């Protein structure tokens, strides 16, 4: 179908439609041109959009366009009505002619179009002659907005030395005008400040590098970009934005030492790890691009070391090995610095490293003596005589004056008792013979001290090994309990033995077993060497009798392989057992024990029975005594009213002023308030002395008893029950009179005991005791 046929078809359809080009039902006229509607919706006509320019200011309404119906015969019978957004307020319509006017200034950026409804009605009947239809009034844009950089100010970063044309960043401006109408929103970018280092693309706003730049020369640039609408034409609006461009660092500069020669010094006493000095190399770069590592080149790298301080980027020279002023007084080392991270793009510009010379002088110091060896190992045979040479240690003063050295042994008196050292020449000798079996190694510490400066000393370890000498014969490792049955047969193995030796053997111990010479001929047993440091004991004949011989003592000769070889004779005790067909070893041991103590089974049972009877008797006695020790106050007090307490006490001596002490008989239940006791000491003394001269029927004696009874009744500390107190008198027949000192005011020193010798042989021992006591005090 060609265009002519299509056009003819469309014309035919229009002619058939009620609203045709010749007789349109609805139409609009704009201020620019008039036109009629070309299509109809089901419920009414769709008017073509009308346009009104924004920002128009006028004292009278501004004509927008005209509505015209095909049914309008211009006779005033039709009335045009406009409803919808802004109708009657912003937009008005002439109801007779259908002309539309705008009464206010419009802003497209606030509202770009208005949707209204238009309709034509018959004035006389008020009936619509056509259905209501939609009308769109669009606000036409004018250039009333300037461009704006909403994201400014801008900050961008680009690596230094970037090639020309490298993109830095992009700036974007926005314009509030309509981009679909005219050139009001078409922007053009230009560079106001930043030449000749940067450029900007006019349409995109992309900023690019115009030349290579070095950060070390200048690290920040301020660029001003302008955006102008109307494609830069006259009357266009414009605005500017500031872009701060920073140059980031790259590693394009090598490190450089500040000095070509450094001078340092170190004392020969300085320990390993001492800081000798510092070197520093500058790098114009920054951050990790300025990170560097230091190295030492040449032979001095084994004496000195250098490390990098990552915070200050300094090279710290350390002492790696002790220096000696007398050996070498000056060192010259070469230090090198290298960038840690190298950019391959700049390798062709030269090596990223630098070198310098460091001269180090060694300062002299008073050093302690130095031993020829740090550790000495010496040997001496065990058993060597006291004063035997062990070895020699040597130390010397490393200083130029070579001060004499004095030697001594420290750390332990025990070692000093075993060894001694010549303080002048360092010779170590034994103080007494050594025994390897007690200690095979001895560790001693020897000190070397300068004679002129005792504070300068040093120590060395001396390890002394005691060499083994075959001075111990082999022996049984334990006591063997060996048994043989009475019904044993010839050639029966009854025991396997072995041996131990306290000595060491370089080739390992090897022992040889045999019967001693004295037991070879008439022994009932034989020894078979197993050649593995063990031997078996075998019977030579059958049948043994316990009645004839209960045990046998078998001497066994053991020989070692030392130099010289040593032998020992060890006795093996073999006990004869009464066995059945199956040997009961436990019974054999029990029988052997009983036989060794000379007891039979019946005797042992009798002994155990006696022990059991004695044990029962002892327990009975203990129980009876425990029963007697029970307190007499455990029952009612009334049951003890008639008890008699007897004291067979003659008196406690000079300080005893009371007849007896019954405080032990009191209980807490019968304690009463203490009252002062009557002082009867003087009366007792007088009555007592008088009683020595009278008998039991004397009035003095009766008076004495009455007073004692009254004293007991009034004594608050007396027991709360009746008691009988017995008082003994010496009588009147004794030649010695009274021996009591209660009535005497003299001490033992003032007494004269010579008269005791006149009392006869019965008082001889007493006279000797007091006479000797007197002579000792004199």
């Amino acid at each position: 179908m060609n265009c002519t046929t299509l056009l003819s078809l469309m014309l035919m359809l229009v002619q058939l439609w009620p609203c045709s080009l010749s007789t349109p039902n609805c139409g609009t006229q704009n201020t620019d041109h008039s036109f009629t509607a070309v299509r109809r919706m089901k419920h009414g006509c769709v008017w073509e959009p009308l346009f009104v320019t924004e920002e128009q200011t006028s004292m009278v309404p501004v004509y927008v366009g005209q509505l015209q119906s095909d049914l309008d015969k211009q006779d005033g019978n039709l009335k045009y009505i406009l409803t919808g957004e802004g109708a009657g307020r912003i937009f008005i319509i002439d109801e007779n002619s259908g002309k539309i006017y705008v009464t206010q200034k419009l802003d497209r950026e606030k509202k770009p179009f208005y949707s209204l409804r238009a309709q034509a009605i018959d004035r006389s009947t008020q009936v619509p002659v056509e259905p209501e239809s939609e009308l769109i009034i669009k606000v036409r844009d004018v250039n009333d907005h300037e461009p704006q950089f909403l994201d400014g100010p801008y900050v961008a970063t680009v690596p230094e030395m970037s090639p020309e044309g490298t993109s830095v960043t992009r700036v974007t401006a926005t314009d509030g005008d309509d981009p679909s109408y005219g050139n009001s929103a078409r922007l053009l970018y230009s560079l106001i400040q930043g030449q000749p280092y940067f450029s900007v693309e006019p349409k995109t706003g992309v900023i690019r590098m115009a030349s290579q730049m070095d950060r070390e020369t200048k690290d920040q640039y301020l660029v001003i970009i302008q955006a102008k609408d109307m494609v830069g034409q006259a009357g266009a609006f414009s605005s500017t934005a500031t872009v701060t461009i920073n140059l980031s660092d790259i590693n394009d500069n090598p490190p450089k030492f500040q000095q070509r020669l450094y001078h340092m010094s170190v004392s020969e006493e300085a320990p390993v790890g001492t800081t000798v000095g510092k070197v520093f190399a500058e790098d114009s770069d920054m951050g990790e691009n300025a990170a560097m590592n230091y190295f030492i080149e040449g032979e001095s790298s084994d004496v000195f070391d250098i490390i990098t301080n990552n915070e200050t980027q300094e090279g710290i020279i350390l002492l790696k090995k002790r220096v000696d002023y007398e050996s070498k007084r000056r060192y010259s080392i070469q230090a090198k610095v290298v960038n840690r991270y190298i950019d391959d793009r700049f390798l062709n510009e030269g090596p990223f490293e630098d070198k310098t010379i460091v001269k180090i002088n060694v300062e002299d110091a008073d050093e302690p003596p130095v031993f020829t060896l740090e550790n000495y190992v010496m040997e001496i045979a065990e058993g060597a005589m006291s004063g035997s040479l062990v070895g020699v240690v040597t130390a010397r003063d490393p200083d130029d004056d070579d001060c004499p050295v004095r030697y001594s042994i420290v750390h332990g008196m025990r070692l000093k008792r075993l060894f001694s050292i010549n303080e002048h020449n360092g010779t170590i000798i034994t103080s007494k013979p050594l025994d390897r079996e007690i200690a095979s190694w001895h560790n001693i510490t020897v000190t070397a001290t300068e004679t002129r400066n005792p504070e300068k000393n040093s120590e060395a370890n001396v390890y002394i090994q005691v060499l083994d000498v075959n001075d111990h014969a082999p022996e049984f490792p334990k006591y063997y309990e060996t048994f043989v049955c009475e019904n044993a047969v010839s050639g029966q193995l009854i025991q396997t033995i072995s041996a131990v030796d306290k000595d060491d053997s370089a080739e390992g111990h090897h022992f040889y077993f045999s019967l001693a010479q004295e037991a070879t001929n008439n022994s009932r047993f034989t020894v078979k060497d197993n050649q593995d440091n063990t031997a078996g004991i075998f019977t030579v004949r059958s049948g043994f009798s316990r009645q004839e011989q209960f045990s046998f003592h078998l001497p066994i000769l053991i020989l070692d392989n030392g130099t010289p070889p040593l032998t020992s004779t060890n006795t093996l005790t073999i006990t004869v057992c009464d066995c059945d067909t199956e040997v009961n070893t436990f019974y054999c041991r029990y029988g052997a024990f009983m036989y060794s103590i000379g007891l039979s089974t019946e005797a042992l049972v009798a002994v155990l029975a006696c022990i059991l009877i004695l044990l029962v008797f002892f327990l009975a006695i203990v129980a009876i005594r425990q029963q007697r020790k029970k307190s007499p106050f455990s029952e009612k007090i009334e049951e003890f009213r008639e008890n008699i307490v007897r004291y067979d006490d003659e008196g406690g001596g000079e300080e005893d002023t009371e007849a007896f002490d019954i405080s032990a008989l009191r209980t807490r239940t019968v304690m009463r308030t203490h009252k002062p006791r009557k002082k009867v000491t003087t009366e007792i003394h007088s009555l007592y002395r008088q009683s020595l001269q009278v008998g039991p029927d004397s009035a003095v004696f009766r008076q004495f008893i009455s007073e004692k009874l009254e004293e007991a009744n009034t004594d608050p500390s007396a027991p709360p029950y009746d008691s009988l107190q017995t008082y003994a008198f010496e009588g009147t027949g004794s030649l010695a009179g009274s021996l009591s000192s209660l009535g005497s005011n003299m001490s033992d020193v003032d007494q004269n005991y010579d008269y005791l010798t006149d009392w006869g042989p019965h008082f001889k021992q007493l006279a000797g005791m007091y006479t000797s006591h007197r002579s000792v005090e004199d």
Side-chain angles (χ1 to χ4, degrees):
M1 184 180 292
N2 53 28
C3 295
T4 305
T5 306
L6 180 62
L7 181 59
S8 300
L9 180 61
M10 292 179 63
L11 290 175
M12 291 174 65
L13 291 175
V14 171
Q15 290 176 356
L16 295 175
W17 200 260
C19 295
S20 63
L21 289 174
S22 59
T23 60
N25 280 343
C26 52
T28 60
Q29 288 184 350
N30 206 345
T31 56
D32 297 332
H33 60 277
S34 299
F35 55 89
T36 59
V38 298
R39 59 192 178 98
R40 179 183 294 272
M41 300 300 292
K42 182 178 181 182
H43 298 290
C45 295
V46 178
W47 305 94
E48 292 293 334
L50 298 179
F51 293 92
V52 59
T53 304
E54 68 171 336
E55 302 295 338
Q56 294 188 69
T57 59
S58 177
M59 299 300 294
V60 296
V62 178
Y63 175 75
V64 177
Q66 183 180 3
L67 298 178
Q68 186 175 3
S69 175
D70 293 339
L71 301 178
D72 188 0
K73 298 179 179 180
Q74 303 296 324
D75 56 1
N77 291 328
L78 294 182
K79 179 182 178 181
Y80 293 95
I81 299 175
L82 189 65
T83 59
E85 294 180 336
R89 180 172 53 84
I90 300 175
F91 301 98
I92 59 176
I93 188 170
D94 187 345
E95 60 182 15
N96 296 318
S97 63
K99 293 182 179 181
I100 301 173
Y101 299 91
V102 59
T103 62
Q104 297 181 11
K105 183 175 67 172
L106 303 180
D107 188 355
R108 189 201 65 83
E109 284 72 33
K110 292 184 179 179
K111 192 171 181 64
F113 65 91
Y114 294 86
S115 178
L116 298 96
R117 310 289 296 182
Q119 192 176 31
I121 63 175
D122 191 307
R123 286 181 181 272
S124 58
T125 62
Q126 297 296 319
V127 176
V129 297
E130 288 184 5
E132 187 181 53
S133 59
E134 184 180 16
L135 174 65
I136 301 297
I137 299 178
K138 293 185 177 181
V139 182
R140 182 168 289 169
D141 183 49
V142 296
N143 188 20
D144 59 345
H145 288 83
E146 65 181 16
Q148 292 183 353
F149 291 94
L150 300 180
D151 297 330
Y154 296 87
V155 178
T157 302
V158 62
E160 64 172 330
M161 304 303 292
S162 295
E164 184 177 347
T166 301
S167 175
V168 179
T169 187
R170 179 178 181 176
V171 295
T172 302
T174 60
D175 196 313
D177 295 324
D178 188 2
S180 63
Y181 178 76
N183 296 324
S184 299
R186 294 180 64 185
L187 304 179
L188 192 67
Y189 298 94
S190 61
L191 191 65
I192 295 179
Q193 178 180 318
Q195 301 91 348
Y197 308 109
F198 302 95
S199 63
V200 62
E201 293 183 356
K203 294 183 179 181
T204 62
V206 175
I207 302 174
R208 298 184 181 276
M209 299 285 291
S211 63
Q212 287 188 335
M213 290 171 286
D214 189 2
R215 187 200 63 83
E216 286 73 33
T217 303
K218 186 177 181 180
D219 60 353
Q220 190 178 81
Y221 292 85
L222 190 65
V223 177
I224 299 177
I225 302 295
Q226 183 187 63
K228 184 182 290 186
D229 58 11
M230 298 293 293
V231 199
Q233 297 176 1
F237 291 103
S238 65
S239 63
T240 59
T242 301
V243 183
T244 302
I245 301 177
N246 298 312
L247 296 182
S248 61
D249 184 56
I250 62 173
N251 191 10
D252 58 342
N253 294 281
K256 296 291 182 182
F257 279 106
Q258 290 183 328
Q259 299 175 220
R260 288 298 157 192
L261 180 63
Y262 290 84
H263 292 278
M264 302 177 184
S265 62
V266 62
S267 173
E268 63 175 340
E269 285 186 326
V272 173
T274 300
T275 299
V276 180
K278 299 179 181 179
V279 295
F280 180 69
E282 291 182 335
D283 194 322
S284 301
D285 298 320
M286 58 185 300
E288 67 176 15
N289 294 320
M292 59 192 74
N293 292 326
Y294 292 88
F295 303 94
I296 290 180
E297 295 183 338
E299 299 178 355
S300 300
S301 61
D302 60 340
V303 181
F304 299 96
D305 194 9
I306 188 169
I307 61 174
T308 304
N309 187 330
N310 293 324
E311 295 182 359
T312 63
Q313 295 300 318
E314 292 178 314
I316 303 174
I317 299 177
L318 304 176
L319 189 62
K320 188 177 181 180
K321 182 181 177 181
R322 294 286 297 269
V323 293
D324 186 14
Y325 175 82
E326 286 72 27
S327 301
K328 190 173 183 178
R329 303 183 180 184
R330 187 175 293 103
Y331 292 87
S332 179
I333 63 176
Q334 185 177 28
K336 182 175 74 172
V337 61
V338 180
N339 267 138
R340 192 174 300 169
Y341 309 103
I342 300 177
D343 195 334
D344 296 337
R345 295 176 297 173
F346 303 98
L347 287 177
N348 55 353
E349 297 184 7
F352 282 75
E353 62 182 40
D354 196 18
K355 297 181 181 180
T356 188
I357 301 299
V358 181
K359 293 187 178 295
I360 303 175
N361 295 324
V362 180
E363 297 177 350
D364 188 23
D366 188 8
E367 299 176 89
V370 178
F371 282 93
T372 56
L373 297 174
E374 294 183 1
N375 299 298
Y376 291 85
V377 179
M378 302 177 182
E379 297 177 347
I380 186 172
E382 69 171 327
M385 297 177 57
S386 177
S388 299
L389 175 65
V390 179
V392 179
V393 296
T394 304
R396 57 175 295 273
D397 184 9
D399 298 322
D400 292 337
D401 55 359
D402 195 11
C403 178
V405 175
R406 183 176 65 252
Y407 302 92
S408 61
I409 295 178
V410 296
H411 299 169
M413 292 302 296
R414 184 183 67 85
L415 295 176
K416 288 185 177 181
R417 290 194 296 267
L418 297 177
F419 304 96
S420 62
I421 189 171
N422 189 305
E423 65 176 5
H424 301 294
N425 57 22
T427 301
I428 300 176
I429 60 175
T430 59
S431 300
K432 65 178 183 178
L434 305 177
D435 188 355
R436 189 205 63 83
E437 284 68 36
I438 297 177
S440 59
W441 283 89
H442 297 279
N443 304 332
I444 65 175
T445 302
V446 176
T447 299
T449 307
E450 290 186 6
T451 56
R452 290 195 292 266
N453 187 5
E455 294 182 355
K456 297 296 179 179
N457 58 74
S458 59
E459 296 180 351
N461 295 320
V462 180
Y463 305 101
I464 302 174
Q465 182 182 14
V466 181
L467 301 179
D468 184 44
V469 174
N470 193 22
D471 56 349
H472 288 83
E475 58 186 2
F476 284 155
K478 62 180 181 179
Y479 174 77
Y480 289 103
E481 289 183 325
T482 307
F483 304 96
V484 61
C485 293
E486 289 182 316
N487 56 356
V489 297
S490 177
Q492 180 177 341
L493 176 65
I494 61 173
Q495 183 68 59
T496 299
I497 61 174
S498 62
V500 294
D501 195 333
K502 295 181 180 180
D503 296 320
D504 275 341
S505 176
E507 300 177 356
H509 288 294
H510 189 76
F511 304 110
Y512 305 93
F513 301 87
S514 62
L515 282 179
Q517 185 66 33
E518 60 272 16
T520 303
N521 298 327
N522 55 357
S523 176
R524 297 187 179 184
F525 305 93
T526 184
V527 177
K528 181 181 179 181
D529 196 332
N530 297 327
Q531 301 299 320
D532 59 354
N533 291 338
T534 63
I537 308 299
F538 294 86
T539 59
V540 175
R541 65 172 187 170
S542 302
F544 293 88
S545 175
R546 297 183 59 190
Q547 302 298 329
E548 295 180 2
Q549 188 170 353
F550 178 75
S551 62
F552 296 88
H553 300 283
L554 186 66
I556 299 176
L557 188 68
I558 306 176
L559 174 68
D560 63 15
N561 61 336
T563 303
L566 296 180
T567 60
S568 66
T569 301
N570 298 263
T571 301
L572 182 67
T573 301
I574 302 174
T575 304
V576 180
C577 296
D578 184 10
C579 306
D580 51 11
T581 56
E582 295 182 0
V583 179
N584 191 333
T585 306
F586 174 78
Y587 178 76
C588 288
R589 293 179 179 176
Y590 167 74
F593 171 76
M594 296 300 298
Y595 183 84
S596 61
I597 61 177
L599 292 176
S600 63
T601 304
E602 295 79 3
L604 181 61
V605 171
V607 171
L608 293 177
C610 294
I611 294 175
L612 181 60
I613 293 172
L614 292 175
L615 179 61
V616 171
F617 181 72
F618 174 76
L619 293 176
I621 294 176
V622 171
I624 293 173
R625 289 189 176 183
Q626 291 293 334
Q627 187 68 23
R628 289 181 178 179
K629 287 182 179 180
K630 290 183 179 180
S631 173
F633 301 100
S634 59
E635 300 180 3
K636 296 181 180 180
I637 298 178
E638 288 76 12
E639 299 177 3
F640 298 90
R641 290 292 183 181
E642 304 300 327
N643 284 0
I644 298 176
V645 180
R646 178 181 179 85
Y647 296 89
D648 295 327
D649 191 358
E650 293 184 356
E654 302 163 351
E655 301 297 328
D656 189 4
T657 59
E658 299 182 9
F660 61 95
D661 183 7
I662 62 173
S663 60
L665 299 178
R666 303 192 202 103
T667 63
R668 293 185 179 181
T669 57
V670 297
M671 290 292 290
R672 292 175 292 182
T673 304
H674 178 72
K675 296 181 180 180
R677 186 172 182 176
K678 183 180 178 181
K679 298 295 183 179
V680 294
T681 305
T682 305
E683 297 179 3
I684 293 175
H685 292 173
S686 60
L687 294 174
Y688 184 77
R689 187 169 297 277
Q690 294 177 11
S691 66
L692 298 177
Q693 308 298 330
V694 298
D697 296 332
S698 173
V700 177
F701 180 79
R702 288 193 297 273
Q703 181 182 358
F704 175 78
I705 295 298
S706 298
E707 290 180 358
K708 299 302 292 182
L709 179 61
E710 180 66 18
E711 178 184 348
N713 291 333
T714 59
D715 188 4
S717 60
Y721 47 82
D722 295 338
S723 61
L724 175 63
Q725 301 183 18
T726 302
Y727 298 91
F729 287 86
E730 291 181 307
T732 58
S734 174
L735 298 178
S738 176
L739 296 178
S740 175
S741 59
L742 294 177
S744 175
N745 293 326
M746 294 183 298
S747 64
D748 293 340
V749 179
D750 300 328
Q751 295 289 338
N752 185 6
Y753 301 100
D754 294 339
Y755 60 89
L756 296 176
T757 56
D758 300 333
W759 289 0
H762 296 289
F763 298 93
K764 181 178 180 181
Q765 185 175 2
L766 182 62
M769 292 172 58
Y770 278 84
T771 303
S772 61
H773 175 71
R774 176 78 175 180
S775 61
V776 169
E777 290 184 351
D778 293 340

